[in-house]
Amino acid sequence: MTDFLARTLELAERGRDTTHPNPVVGAVVVRDGEVVAEGWHERKGEPHAEVVALETAGERAGGATLYLSMEPCSHHGSTPPCTQAVLEAGVAEVVVASLDPNPEARGGLDVLRGAGVQVENADLFEARVQNEAWRTWVTSRRPFVTYKAAVTLDGRVTVPGEGWISGERSRKLVHELRAGSDAVAVGMGTVLADDPGLDARGVEVIRPPRRLAFGRPPLPEGSELELRAGPIADELAALAEEGVQSILLEGGPRLAAAFLREGLIDKLLLFVASRLSGVGPLLLAGQVPEGLLYRLTALPVGEDVLLSAYVNEP
């Protein structure tokens, strides 16, 4: 990854809490090896990253190279096509870290190439991960689903006589994950056994996540969760129509296996505790499809290890 593309990813993150439902995007204008302007998308309906950067660069954009974390859009939505701004600025080259997967807006590099602009797609995994939920939402018309669970070294999801498997730092990180998700969900078994609140506590929350329960009615009296009683795929499609781009799935082994069998889990997060249980349910209940996971990473979190892997790469 070039330093300039890395910088576009840094800039994009400045819009993390304000661009929703749009993706985060960053832009850098470089001329003669020097950065002359930067920009990022801040809010829906306002100028996109490349437009901000090009307007800041002014005449210095002529003959320059424009680096972007995502391909410029080629359609007229709430703002004009960004390809138009690039061409009007006289940019000589455009280098992007990822393509735009949106069927309504993709193809910007083709437009620029056809107009004589030199283009390059670096296709960086980091750039696709940065907007992984949005990418699934616009291409598959369902939320990006992350299954989170805490397990012992022998693969159990409970420890006799104890309420927690993972440590305090892992539990805090879970609240941060909730705060960064559009929805948090469990199954009815978890609802009946634990009566979970599923709220994000002790962390900054910009948009409180919706709190969902998948399963058959009724919910227990007093539950504040939102029941989703239809087929999983149908419920996810309906949630996507309502603007839900990401779901943190915290359900038990049966619900997780059901999502997996329908190909509806995109990412796994397993907090592995350095302990054995010996008894109790395993991570997944019932038969699940065989398959490889992608991009496995391991990160120490306090006394635990967080394993992360993709079922479906963004």
Side-chain angles (χ1 to χ4, degrees):
M1 186 191 315
T2 70
D3 291 341
F4 298 133
L5 284 179
R7 180 58 177 165
T8 68
L9 300 185
E10 293 176 0
L11 292 166
E13 283 301 317
R14 298 186 182 184
R16 174 60 62 187
D17 297 321
T18 58
T19 63
H20 192 83
N22 285 1
V24 295
V25 182
V28 176
V29 180
V30 177
R31 184 168 179 175
D32 299 326
E34 298 291 332
V35 174
V36 297
E38 298 180 334
W40 65 92
H41 182 43
E42 188 170 348
R43 289 181 180 83
K44 177 178 172 58
E46 296 186 4
H48 290 183
E50 51 269 63
V51 174
V52 174
L54 291 172
E55 288 181 349
T56 301
E59 293 183 356
R60 295 174 296 175
T65 298
L66 174 64
Y67 291 86
L68 291 167
S69 60
M70 187 185 295
E71 176 183 31
C73 65
S74 60
H75 83 310
H76 199 300
S78 54
T79 61
C82 291
T83 50
Q84 176 182 326
V86 173
L87 293 174
E88 291 176 352
V91 169
E93 181 180 8
V94 174
V95 181
V96 303
S98 62
L99 295 178
D100 188 339
N102 187 350
E104 298 179 355
R106 64 190 178 193
L109 290 191
D110 293 335
V111 172
L112 296 177
R113 185 184 294 108
V117 178
Q118 185 175 343
V119 299
E120 178 185 348
N121 171 30
D123 190 25
L124 298 180
F125 176 69
E126 297 88 345
R128 287 183 277 121
V129 166
Q130 189 170 55
N131 287 299
E132 60 188 9
W134 175 83
R135 295 177 71 90
T136 295
W137 184 64
V138 297
T139 57
S140 300
R141 301 313 304 168
R142 66 166 177 83
F144 181 90
V145 178
T146 299
Y147 176 52
K148 183 279 302 180
V151 297
T152 60
L153 281 176
D154 55 340
R156 310 286 178 172
V157 294
T158 62
V159 174
E162 297 192 27
W164 302 106
I165 293 177
S166 55
E168 183 177 350
R169 287 182 61 182
S170 293
R171 297 198 295 272
K172 181 178 180 181
L173 179 54
V174 169
H175 285 281
E176 294 174 357
L177 292 169
R178 289 178 179 178
S181 301
D182 291 333
V184 183
V186 294
M188 192 60 75
T190 301
V191 173
L192 297 175
D194 301 330
D195 188 25
L198 302 185
D199 52 333
R201 301 185 297 276
V203 296
E204 182 180 7
V205 181
I206 303 299
R207 296 187 312 276
R210 290 171 64 171
R211 297 174 293 160
L212 313 176
F214 286 92
R216 298 177 180 176
L219 284 168
E221 184 176 353
S223 174
E224 296 182 353
L225 304 186
E226 174 187 339
L227 181 63
R228 311 297 300 205
I232 295 173
D234 292 349
E235 292 291 357
L236 292 186
L239 288 165
E241 288 294 323
E242 296 166 8
V244 175
Q245 295 184 10
S246 60
I247 293 179
L248 182 65
L249 186 65
E250 298 190 21
R254 285 184 297 176
L255 184 65
F259 268 74
L260 271 175
R261 282 193 292 271
E262 296 195 35
L264 297 175
I265 288 181
D266 300 291
K267 188 177 183 179
L268 299 175
L269 294 178
L270 301 182
F271 291 88
V272 182
S274 56
R275 62 194 305 173
L276 300 173
S277 174
V279 297
L282 295 170
L283 176 64
L284 300 169
Q287 188 175 9
V288 296
E290 180 184 357
L292 291 175
L293 302 180
Y294 306 95
R295 309 278 182 169
L296 175 66
T297 62
L299 176 69
V301 181
E303 60 267 46
D304 307 321
V305 174
L306 174 59
L307 299 180
S308 172
Y310 286 88
V311 181
N312 301 309
E313 280 199 274

